[in-house]
Amino acid sequence: MANSNYTADDIHVLQGLEGVRKRPAMYIGSTNATGLHHLVWEVVDNAVDEALSGYGNVITVTIHKDGSVSVLDEGRGIPVGINKETGKSAVDLVFSELHAGGKFNSAVYKSAAGLHGVGASVTNALSEYCDVTVFRDGNINHIRYENGGHLVTPLEVTGQTRKHGTLVRFKPDATIFTTVEFKADIISSHLQESAFLMKGVHFVLIDERVNTRDEFYYQNGLVEYINNINMNKNHLTPVMSFSDVDSETNIDVEIAMQFCNEDYNETTYSYVNNVRTRDGGTHETGFRAGLTKAVNDFGEQQNILKGKKLEGNDIREGLTTIIALKIPEAYLEFEGQTKGKLGTPQAVTVVSNIIYNKFSYYLLENKELAMRIIKKCLDSQAARIAARKAKEEVRSSKKVKQEVILSDKLTPAQSKDYKKNELFIVEGDSAGGSAKKGRDRLHQAILPLRGKPLNTDSISMDRLLHNEEFATVINTIGAGFGQSFDIEDIHYGKIIIMTDADTDGAHIQTLLLTFFYHYMRELITSGHVYIAVPPLYRVYKEDKSHKVIQRYAWSDAELDEAKKYVGAGYKINRYKGLGEMDAVQLKETTMDPKSRLLIQVDIEDPFLVERRVNVLMGKDTSLRKKWVEDNVDFNEVDTFIKEVK
């Protein structure tokens, strides 16, 4: 019970950047790998803002051997003069005070990614050290912070130079984050995105840990972005690009889009001032409204629709779209510091009008192509209506002929409370047998897999539907698939992939996730897909009364703790597969909601996911070979094999 003696002395004021260290997730979203990399984005955003304003066309990010990261730009350099209001140097304010910066002054930045002005200071607050060098007005200026933003080297001039720009180097605080290891592919993906969005700007990534250098530079921006995403797809149209600036708000809109055949998903990446708005917002709403109106109006004018009305989902099936806005600070509204969703109300009308006018004109000027687009939309509509009709017939009929072959190994859940139900897709009959015995019969269903699933990135729809495992998964989840998938109809709140903790298990996970990604993507984006994490070890012994003392371990570090807990005379089970656990062990470690460990699958970086699926799961083996050669250190593999032997 809380202390009832609540007085004024119980009110604590966190000074400077203490609040950031106390509640880091409020500023960077989390303290896991996602939050860790957010520190980089905040500093890169500042460099991008300079480039957006026309200052500097090279931004270099370096991952250093000591685990630190530096960002160098060729902008104007952060001002180093004394701020009259505070008596502090401007650069010190930027790195030590929340909501301090030039982003609030439209005379300094017409449009900027760093809306809230807390980025650099938050990165400083959550770092072991933050070292800043400013090249400005012929001088090299240096300032340094340590231990969460404490000033240790006041601003000083250390030399002269002809360069201009800012160099920021920081090392994340290991006491704050669950991991402090930066991933080159995550940073690479982010920089490549920025290069697509900023034509003519060079983005360089240097990884000193493995001595690599990558550079991203694109002259055709969003068109090349779409080409990169859809490189292995069957294109219905070329990449179409449209741009304009709204005269009243000065909002700059650029849109690139392409229709693809044999793709049931709508893929939309939206950005504001070079920052991805992964949760969408008013600009996406405006795009959908304008696109739907343009297609329907054209169809009616050409007497193609014959009184029919196309829904937005019919039009956007198989459509890949990039929406990039530059919004002046006066109109810029985001939801939260991480800028995940645009809230600017004017963006609805601005984007809707621009895409309607531009795309309507495009359709009129390219009538043959327009007819192909309309036909695809009508086919999508027909498939949607047919799927809905079939679903209604299934619901109203007690006896329905099942044309697909279903597995007889599915053990269903008994409850009709679908939100509480869980479907375990299990590797192998042995583990499936243990899972059936250890399950909660009311809410947990078990589907053992027979061998590895098919790679759905490279098979036909007909072959997919005649595959017993996938047909059973589709039927069991109960929400259709592809264009007919409806998240409201799912029979399980959680779809849990449960495989062995080895390379075969990882491969099965990848094949299943590829299937969900292509045919039930909303299942992932809505947070319904999980990976079960079985333990690697069981440490146990019997005491004098024959009572078993045991503890499970999911890592080598936990194994050491488990040994200490069990004490002298312990024995160890090393689980090489799920089948080595009996029903009780599998239940209490991997299936029981009270004690299990699950990983929720999400699409944090959609561009990176799309690239990985295309390269690693696609038909082009040369791309896959190149990726392996570029990313796998075979010397490390050889060393690992020797250690295992």
Side-chain angles (χ1 to χ4, degrees):
M1 183 175 177
N3 187 350
S4 60
N5 187 23
Y6 180 48
T7 69
D9 292 333
D10 293 311
I11 303 299
H12 298 283
V13 179
L14 298 176
Q15 300 297 323
L17 301 177
E18 292 180 40
V20 180
R21 293 180 64 80
K22 188 73 174 177
R23 297 287 186 269
M26 290 178 59
Y27 299 88
I28 59 171
S30 70
T31 55
N32 57 17
T34 301
L36 174 74
H37 289 84
H38 197 88
L39 299 185
V40 183
W41 312 155
E42 291 291 3
V43 181
V44 169
D45 280 353
N46 290 340
V48 164
D49 289 336
E50 283 290 286
L52 280 171
S53 299
Y55 300 99
N57 65 353
V58 179
I59 296 171
T60 303
V61 178
T62 303
I63 308 173
H64 299 282
K65 291 181 179 180
D66 70 345
S68 64
V69 164
S70 64
V71 179
L72 172 66
D73 66 55
E74 296 181 351
R76 291 165 288 185
I78 299 173
V80 295
I82 299 300
N83 177 272
K84 295 178 181 179
E85 184 179 342
T86 63
K88 284 186 170 185
S89 67
V91 65
D92 188 18
L93 281 176
V94 168
F95 282 90
S96 64
E97 298 288 342
L98 296 176
H99 308 292
K103 312 300 169 63
F104 306 104
N105 188 340
S106 59
V108 178
Y109 291 102
K110 178 184 174 183
S111 61
L115 168 67
H116 299 290
V118 302
S121 57
V122 167
T123 298
N124 185 18
L126 301 176
S127 294
E128 182 180 311
Y129 69 78
C130 183
D131 200 274
V132 184
T133 304
V134 178
F135 309 99
R136 184 182 174 97
D137 300 330
N139 291 326
I140 302 173
N141 306 272
H142 175 254
I143 191 169
R144 182 180 175 90
Y145 305 86
E146 293 181 1
N147 301 320
H150 294 284
L151 182 65
V152 294
T153 304
L155 183 66
E156 59 182 353
V157 177
T158 60
Q160 278 69 51
T161 184
R162 292 183 179 180
K163 294 196 304 183
H164 50 85
T166 304
L167 171 64
V168 179
R169 180 169 176 171
F170 67 92
K171 185 177 183 180
D173 191 335
T175 65
I176 298 289
F177 295 94
T178 57
T179 178
V180 290
E181 181 183 356
F182 288 104
K183 300 295 184 182
D185 60 347
I186 293 177
I187 297 176
S188 172
S189 175
H190 185 93
L191 297 183
Q192 187 174 16
E193 278 183 297
S194 298
F196 284 131
L197 295 164
M198 300 179 66
K199 293 179 287 189
V201 177
H202 298 256
F203 287 83
V204 180
L205 174 61
I206 299 170
D207 190 345
E208 293 181 347
R209 301 171 302 182
V210 290
N211 195 30
T212 58
R213 175 190 173 94
D214 296 301
E215 183 170 344
F216 306 104
Y217 174 81
Y218 301 100
Q219 283 285 12
N220 296 315
L222 300 192
V223 172
E224 292 183 79
Y225 195 169
I226 294 281
N227 283 333
N228 194 284
I229 293 171
N230 290 341
M231 65 172 69
N232 294 325
K233 295 182 180 179
N234 182 1
H235 307 145
L236 176 69
T237 70
V239 179
M240 303 163 282
S241 63
F242 313 101
S243 61
D244 206 349
V245 180
D246 179 63
S247 58
E248 183 177 338
T249 62
N250 210 27
I251 295 176
D252 186 313
V253 178
E254 187 175 2
I255 297 170
M257 49 191 273
Q258 182 179 44
F259 288 92
C260 293
N261 292 308
E262 301 171 5
D263 191 343
Y264 299 95
N265 295 295
E266 169 195 356
T267 302
T268 301
Y269 304 153
S270 62
Y271 301 83
V272 174
N273 298 351
N274 212 55
V275 175
R276 185 195 297 129
T277 41
R278 64 176 307 224
D279 299 320
T282 51
H283 50 344
E284 290 193 18
T285 300
F287 170 77
R288 290 192 292 267
L291 179 71
T292 302
K293 189 174 188 300
V295 173
N296 275 304
D297 285 359
F298 176 83
E300 289 176 7
Q301 292 163 9
Q302 302 299 316
N303 197 29
I304 305 170
L305 298 181
K306 303 185 185 304
K308 297 179 180 178
K309 198 79 170 177
L310 291 166
E311 292 187 4
N313 290 337
D314 302 327
I315 297 169
R316 298 192 304 275
E317 180 186 319
L319 178 64
T320 301
T321 308
I322 311 293
I323 305 169
L325 271 62
K326 293 183 177 65
I327 303 181
E329 192 273 330
Y331 293 99
L332 197 55
E333 295 180 24
F334 282 114
E335 294 184 11
Q337 159 62 11
T338 54
K339 314 175 187 79
K341 188 173 185 179
L342 181 68
T344 301
Q346 294 87 346
V348 177
T349 303
V350 169
V351 178
S352 178
N353 288 342
I354 288 175
I355 191 60
Y356 175 78
N357 293 329
K358 298 285 184 179
F359 193 53
S360 294
Y361 181 77
Y362 183 90
L363 293 173
L364 286 169
E365 290 294 304
N366 300 273
K367 285 193 176 181
E368 183 179 342
L369 184 61
M371 294 301 181
R372 293 209 304 267
I373 293 173
I374 294 291
K375 182 182 182 304
K376 176 176 172 59
C377 296
L378 288 170
D379 289 345
S380 298
Q381 182 189 59
R384 174 178 55 81
I385 292 172
R388 183 176 63 193
K389 183 179 179 181
K391 192 179 295 184
E392 289 172 353
E393 289 176 354
V394 168
R395 288 172 176 169
S396 62
S397 175
K398 293 182 179 179
K399 293 183 179 180
V400 181
K401 183 180 179 181
Q402 182 58 269
E403 297 180 353
V404 294
I405 303 172
L406 300 179
S407 170
D408 58 358
K409 294 196 173 185
L410 172 69
T411 304
Q414 297 172 350
S415 173
K416 299 300 181 184
D417 188 352
Y418 295 145
K419 290 182 180 180
K420 294 182 179 179
N421 285 356
E422 301 176 343
L423 174 63
F424 283 82
I425 304 176
V426 185
E427 177 185 356
D429 289 338
S430 177
S434 294
K436 289 176 185 178
K437 294 176 182 177
R439 74 188 179 109
D440 169 6
R441 295 173 179 270
L442 187 61
H443 293 297
Q444 293 181 333
I446 309 298
L447 176 61
L449 293 176
R450 298 176 179 176
K452 288 185 179 179
L454 296 173
N455 179 4
T456 54
D457 201 79
S458 56
I459 63 172
S460 66
M461 178 70 70
D462 183 67
R463 191 177 175 197
L464 169 69
L465 291 176
H466 283 83
N467 176 263
E468 188 175 304
E469 261 70 33
F470 282 130
T472 304
V473 169
I474 293 169
N475 185 71
T476 303
I477 292 175
F481 70 102
Q483 198 267 352
S484 68
F485 182 76
D486 187 346
I487 195 71
E488 298 298 323
D489 292 335
I490 59 174
H491 289 178
Y492 298 88
K494 289 184 174 67
I495 312 296
I496 302 171
I497 301 171
M498 190 162 69
T499 63
D500 293 344
D502 57 15
T503 53
D504 280 341
H507 191 202
I508 291 171
Q509 291 176 14
T510 303
L511 291 167
L512 288 170
L513 290 175
T514 301
F515 165 70
F516 290 135
Y517 180 75
H518 283 310
Y519 295 103
M520 300 182 181
R521 188 173 300 179
E522 196 176 355
L523 203 64
I524 298 176
T525 57
S526 298
H528 293 284
V529 180
Y530 295 79
I531 303 292
V533 185
L536 297 176
Y537 307 99
R538 172 179 172 249
V539 182
Y540 67 99
K541 72 175 183 180
E542 287 188 6
D543 61 17
K544 294 179 180 179
S545 61
H546 300 291
K547 179 182 177 183
V548 176
I549 302 172
Q550 65 178 13
R551 178 163 285 192
Y552 296 96
W554 280 259
S555 66
D556 288 341
E558 289 187 10
L559 175 61
D560 292 336
E561 292 298 318
K563 291 176 181 177
K564 295 176 184 177
Y565 173 81
V566 174
Y570 63 79
K571 296 180 181 179
I572 299 177
N573 284 141
R574 171 62 171 96
Y575 295 124
K576 297 178 181 178
L578 297 171
E580 295 186 8
M581 283 187 267
D582 61 31
V584 174
Q585 294 168 354
L586 188 60
K587 176 182 179 179
E588 63 187 11
T589 64
T590 318
M591 299 182 68
D592 189 340
K594 296 177 182 178
S595 55
R596 71 189 180 192
L597 178 63
L598 296 179
I599 297 174
Q600 188 175 39
V601 179
D602 190 15
I603 300 177
E604 179 67 31
D605 187 335
F607 176 48
L608 183 60
V609 170
E610 187 71 31
R611 285 198 305 171
R612 288 290 180 269
V613 171
N614 283 339
V615 171
L616 299 179
M617 307 305 292
K619 297 178 181 179
D620 193 335
T621 57
S622 63
L623 289 175
R624 187 154 49 250
K625 179 182 178 182
K626 185 178 185 304
W627 187 91
V628 171
E629 290 174 345
D630 291 345
N631 292 274
V632 177
D633 187 335
F634 290 99
N635 290 325
E636 289 186 3
V637 173
D638 288 341
T639 301
F640 172 74
I641 291 172
K642 290 174 184 175
E643 289 176 352
V644 170
K645 288 181 178 178

